[in-house]
Amino acid sequence: MTLDNVWPKSWLGLWIILFLLPGTSRSLAQTYLLKPDRIFDGETTHEGWAVRVKGDKIEAVGAIASISTEGAEVVDLKGTTLLPGLIEGHSHLFLHPYNETPWDDQVLKEARSLRTARATVHAQKTLLAGFTTVRDLGTEGAEYDDVGLKQAINQGIIPGPRMVIVTRALIATGSYAPKGFSPDIDVPQGAEEADGHDALIKAVRRQIGKGADAIKIYADYRWGLMAEARPTFTIEEIKLMVDVAKSSGRAVVAHASTAEGMRRAILGGCETIEHGDAGTPEVFTLMKQHGTALCPTLAAGDAISQYRGWKKGQEPEPERLKQKRITFKQAMDAGVTMAAGGDVGVFSHGDNARELDLMVDYGMKPLDVLRSATSINADVFHLADRGRLRTGLLADLVAVEGDPTKTITDLHRVRVVMKGGIFYKR
């Protein structure tokens, strides 16, 4: 079949094809009244409420009888719960599951053009899963390509979520790169190496200048042949990076899995700790005192354990996951703010809700998990224009079948996705 066989013979035909393309569903009507069974507004649930959308904003929220239908297309969402577009707190759109291709091979052997092409598909899958915003925490060797990906989404070239990006991330020299090579060989890095006063200032400013919305650092990692996670940057170095980033209105987030790496990141002023696997009650108390949020990435550890041979549901949990359950509970007991993010890319994009399932499995209530994935993530990431269903906020909405405030797995049953007043799934 040639292009001539399928290409429309008129402008009307072209318009019809464009109208029907996935991710571009638009109606001539720019005002909608969405009527679900219930609404979760980012904080609590309301029965018999509706949302009126005009343009890219929420115009009204409240009891159905109190909202005018005049000039609006009524969208009946019987059997669903309507909630704010979900916010993915830890993703890597330039990675794909490690059981497909190991991380080292993705960094060393895959062309950036290939990785970018794949990332565009990952972005669409993320959006269609109901995640209308993503905090993408590092391109992992794909340089500043997240900047172009974000621009392509914002310009409507490709469908995808709103992106908060950190570009390359910052690492201490010698701590991160692909492992197992001769010390005589310099291999490509998964992030940017920088050390010491002047170099760190320059690296932070360079990443901001290239387009970073936040700065990510690796406060600890598996150094050298010992392959044990140990702290990388000193507290003074972390404070320096935080000060430089804050002067431009940007936060610093920290990969930290050891207690000491977490302690340094907290005292240095990082706003979120990613992973926190070996946290202690003392460290979690410190997090609470400093208002540092935890993004636990439960789904990444669960996926990696399965890649290593664990048969989930058939065999006892590996010790690593048993310990994670303990530290997760310790963080909750300490009152630490829980952000929601799964380290997606370690596992499949579009399966983002897997993290939220596990947060419930590890002891959180479904309603609290929904808050983490909406209003709490919005607050922690300084996204004041989303995360709640309120008048004047962005019309980023998702409708799912059932009631995820009671059964969190209902989040996998996505019926509607709207971003900025445009339907991407209906």
Side-chain angles (χ1 to χ4, degrees), residues 183-199:
D184 301 316
I185 298 174
D186 290 327
V187 298
Q189 299 287 300
E192 180 176 358
E193 290 183 314
D195 314 273
H197 186 277
D198 292 353

Side-chain angles (χ1 to χ4, degrees), residues 52 57-62 388-394:
R52 183 180 169 100
K57 298 291 199 316
I58 295 172
E59 187 177 40
V61 181
R388 293 175 173 85
L389 300 186
R390 288 184 182 170
T391 300
L393 298 190
L394 289 169

